Amino acid sequence: MTKRSSQIEIQQAFDQRLDRDKLLQCMRCGFCLPTCPTYIASGYKESHSPRGRIALMKAVADGEKKPDEDFYRTIETCLDCRACEAVCPSGVEYGELIEEAKQILFEYHKESRQEKIIRSMTVRGLFPHPGRLNFVADFTSFYQRSGLQKLAHGLRIMNLFPTSLQTMEAVLPNVHAYKKPLANAAYQPLIPAVKKYRVAFFEGCLMGSMFQHVNSTSKKLLELAGCEVISPKNQICCGALADHSGEKDLARKMAQKNIEIFETMDVDFIVNNAGGCEAELIEYPRLLKDDPDWLPRAEAFSAKVKDLAAILVQADFTKLPLSLPTTRITYQDSCHQLNVVNVAKEPRALLQHVQGVELVEMEERVSCCGSAGIYNMVEPEAANEILDIKMQKITAIPELQYIITANPGCFMQMNLGVHQAGIENKVQVLSLSDFLMLAVDYSQK
């Protein structure tokens, strides 16, 4: 794994930097076990559960265990989905512990060649730079619409690439379809005479490039609900991927840039339509807690962050008459939208408001799909095991037509799951915004 001196440095860092009170707060009750995707996918290995990982972190901090390769793999294979936090009776802040552990290992542990390439391409080289993301989106659109993608698959060219890149290519959204304009540009606000709220829209990295159409649709829905929507220029990625990968310094810089941009906006809310992004935006104070100059600015920023579904419900979008032909759907919760932002009722209220729609909850709906940022690229085998468990629940729903999501990672991972299950001709994955716009279009015909 690493040199002995590095193991000593890791042990010292765990001893000095992990919060002892939070480590000792875990009572080992086991409430977290049924909610942990890696614990279940591993065949119920204690070391792959939240309480097992906490015990290992404490053992390393106490010098009772060496931070060997097995320990590194145990920490790195955590999805950081935070499902354990949502059910923990002791209120253990597992997310903070696992992210600090990942940061320490990022600083001291030598990355594998594959990890270094993927991190360089994504966390450091792509997501912090909107221009590069837009270039990739344009290239992806050309790759898809020109026939190159079909050719590459027909000639099995993708088989020459590493599994991580094959996974990345397989989960790409249909970008060229998202570049089409909205079907109806003549929508009127629900209550034109009353401006409900003035909101700033957080575009995000993937949402602002690969899923441009979803962002456009989301803004149109806000306008339908009577909101005035602005989209500040020069905003960048929220920093979630860097934060969850242990690259805290990069995440802090990205947070500071976004705070600087949005704090000048005279708005009621900062609205986002991606569960992972909004969880990071809400947690900017945690990220900047050690900086007395930035902490109050981060707190003021995060206090305005609002989930798209939540603001639509608050703005009485459900008073708009909506309908579709008889349609059976299920909703895939974003882990961070559910476990950090605590938004679950609002998306369902919007979906159930559409006449003709039957929302069928999948069994154990709170489980992760295996996307988790770049997890499905750096841990493809573990991600596929978790996805297989999720797809077993989805394929058990008879006559299902749509899987609705509110996060780009979930969208791509569920697309992969639908493809691997061979049900792409029966089941379509759609964003919450696009599905609601389908209902708007149908209702206004």
Side-chain angles (χ1 to χ4, degrees), residues 130 133-138 141 173-182 201 203-219 273 408 433-434:
L133 278 167
N134 288 330
F135 172 80
V136 170
D138 289 340
S141 176
N174 194 0
V175 178
H176 74 272
Y178 286 125
K179 291 187 174 288
K180 297 177 182 177
L182 291 176
F201 193 84
E203 300 283 348
C205 50
L206 279 178
M207 296 304 295
S209 53
M210 297 288 192
F211 293 88
Q212 293 175 28
H213 179 80
V214 179
N215 277 1
S216 297
T217 305
S218 300
K219 294 172 198 174
N273 60 0
S433 298
D434 278 346

Side-chain angles (χ1 to χ4, degrees), residues 190-398:
L190 177 60
I191 307 176
V194 180
K195 183 186 78 172
K196 289 293 187 66
Y197 303 108
R198 189 169 191 262
V199 304
F201 193 84
F202 188 86
E203 300 283 348
C205 50
L206 279 178
M207 296 304 295
S209 53
M210 297 288 192
F211 293 88
Q212 293 175 28
H213 179 80
V214 179
N215 277 1
S216 297
T217 305
S218 300
K219 294 172 198 174
K220 184 58 65 177
L221 293 173
L222 288 166
E223 290 170 355
L224 274 168
C227 297
E228 178 187 353
V229 185
I230 61 173
S231 181
K233 295 181 180 180
N234 301 321
Q235 55 178 292
I236 61 171
C237 171
C238 65
L241 291 175
D243 190 8
H244 302 325
S245 298
E247 302 196 34
K248 298 288 185 184
D249 289 341
L250 176 58
R252 291 186 187 103
K253 290 177 182 177
M254 297 167 80
Q256 290 167 354
K257 181 173 177 63
N258 281 324
I259 292 170
E260 282 182 334
I261 290 169
F262 280 86
E263 67 185 357
T264 64
M265 303 289 108
D266 180 20
V267 295
D268 299 304
F269 300 110
I270 299 168
V271 179
N272 181 248
N273 60 0
C277 293
E278 62 200 39
E280 185 70 10
L281 299 176
I282 285 173
E283 293 200 320
Y284 274 0
R286 172 189 58 78
L287 192 59
L288 298 169
K289 65 181 180 180
D290 296 326
D291 191 325
D293 293 328
W294 279 99
L295 178 57
R297 297 169 70 179
E299 289 173 336
F301 173 94
S302 65
K304 289 188 174 183
V305 174
K306 196 82 169 179
D307 178 84
L308 172 70
I311 193 66
L312 287 176
V313 170
Q314 187 171 325
D316 296 327
F317 185 83
T318 51
K319 290 184 178 179
L320 186 65
L322 298 178
S323 63
L324 280 171
T326 302
T327 308
R328 177 171 275 209
I329 67 172
T330 194
Y331 184 73
Q332 163 61 24
D333 290 280
S334 155
C335 290
H336 285 88
Q337 182 188 46
L338 180 67
N339 302 318
V340 180
V341 188
N342 196 28
V343 168
K345 295 184 296 183
E346 293 88 344
R348 289 169 171 81
L350 293 169
L351 293 168
Q352 291 171 327
H353 169 66
V354 182
Q355 293 184 15
V357 168
E358 180 186 2
L359 174 63
V360 182
E361 298 286 7
M362 67 184 82
E363 184 184 352
E364 298 177 12
R365 65 175 177 81
V366 297
S367 63
C368 182
C369 65
S371 172
I374 60 171
Y375 186 90
N376 55 356
M377 288 183 276
V378 296
E379 303 289 346
E381 291 184 9
N384 263 325
E385 290 174 358
I386 293 165
L387 177 60
D388 287 343
I389 295 172
K390 171 67 68 172
M391 291 310 300
Q392 289 172 15
K393 312 301 181 186
I394 289 175
T395 53
I397 301 174

Side-chain angles (χ1 to χ4, degrees), residues 1-250:
M1 165 189 154
T2 55
K3 296 179 181 178
R4 184 174 178 80
S5 58
S6 294
Q7 289 191 348
I8 293 173
E9 289 173 340
I10 291 172
Q11 186 275 319
Q12 291 174 341
F14 268 72
D15 180 37
Q16 295 167 7
R17 291 164 53 177
L18 287 184
D19 190 314
R20 287 280 173 170
D21 291 337
K22 292 178 180 177
L23 283 173
L24 294 171
Q25 199 172 355
C26 176
M27 303 302 293
R28 300 185 59 79
C29 65
F31 274 81
C32 60
L33 299 183
T35 71
C36 179
T38 56
Y39 174 70
I40 296 169
S42 70
Y44 308 104
K45 290 183 180 178
E46 179 70 15
S47 61
H48 282 57
S49 71
R51 71 178 185 184
R53 289 186 174 101
I54 289 174
L56 289 171
M57 290 182 220
K58 184 179 181 300
V60 168
D62 291 340
E64 297 174 356
K65 175 177 174 55
K66 294 180 180 179
D68 54 18
E69 190 65 31
D70 285 341
F71 174 74
Y72 174 75
R73 297 304 310 150
T74 297
I75 297 300
E76 284 301 300
T77 52
C78 175
L79 291 150
D80 196 10
C81 69
R82 311 276 286 272
C84 52
E85 281 191 19
V87 299
C88 180
S90 302
V92 176
E93 296 179 41
Y94 178 81
E96 185 170 332
L97 291 171
I98 195 67
E99 287 176 11
E100 186 65 35
K102 287 190 176 186
Q103 182 181 9
I104 293 169
L105 293 176
F106 169 73
E107 292 172 4
Y108 292 103
H109 182 272
K110 184 178 180 181
E111 297 175 298
S112 70
R113 185 170 178 271
Q114 177 176 308
E115 289 173 327
K116 187 175 293 185
I117 291 172
I118 292 173
R119 284 177 181 267
S120 296
M121 287 175 58
T122 56
V123 176
R124 296 188 284 267
L126 188 59
F127 292 109
H129 307 284
R132 297 178 189 177
L133 278 167
N134 288 330
F135 172 80
V136 170
D138 289 340
F139 176 80
T140 303
S141 176
F142 171 76
Y143 171 67
Q144 292 172 336
R145 71 175 187 269
S146 66
L148 284 176
Q149 186 175 39
K150 290 183 179 179
L151 180 64
H153 287 186
L155 297 177
R156 299 184 179 180
I157 293 174
M158 290 307 303
N159 293 346
L160 302 175
F161 291 89
T163 303
S164 58
L165 290 179
Q166 291 182 44
T167 300
M168 185 189 301
E169 195 271 349
V171 301
L172 287 173
N174 194 0
V175 178
H176 74 272
Y178 286 125
K179 291 187 174 288
K180 297 177 182 177
L182 291 176
N184 186 341
Y187 298 122
Q188 294 299 316
L190 177 60
I191 307 176
V194 180
K195 183 186 78 172
K196 289 293 187 66
Y197 303 108
R198 189 169 191 262
V199 304
F201 193 84
F202 188 86
E203 300 283 348
C205 50
L206 279 178
M207 296 304 295
S209 53
M210 297 288 192
F211 293 88
Q212 293 175 28
H213 179 80
V214 179
N215 277 1
S216 297
T217 305
S218 300
K219 294 172 198 174
K220 184 58 65 177
L221 293 173
L222 288 166
E223 290 170 355
L224 274 168
C227 297
E228 178 187 353
V229 185
I230 61 173
S231 181
K233 295 181 180 180
N234 301 321
Q235 55 178 292
I236 61 171
C237 171
C238 65
L241 291 175
D243 190 8
H244 302 325
S245 298
E247 302 196 34
K248 298 288 185 184
D249 289 341
L250 176 58

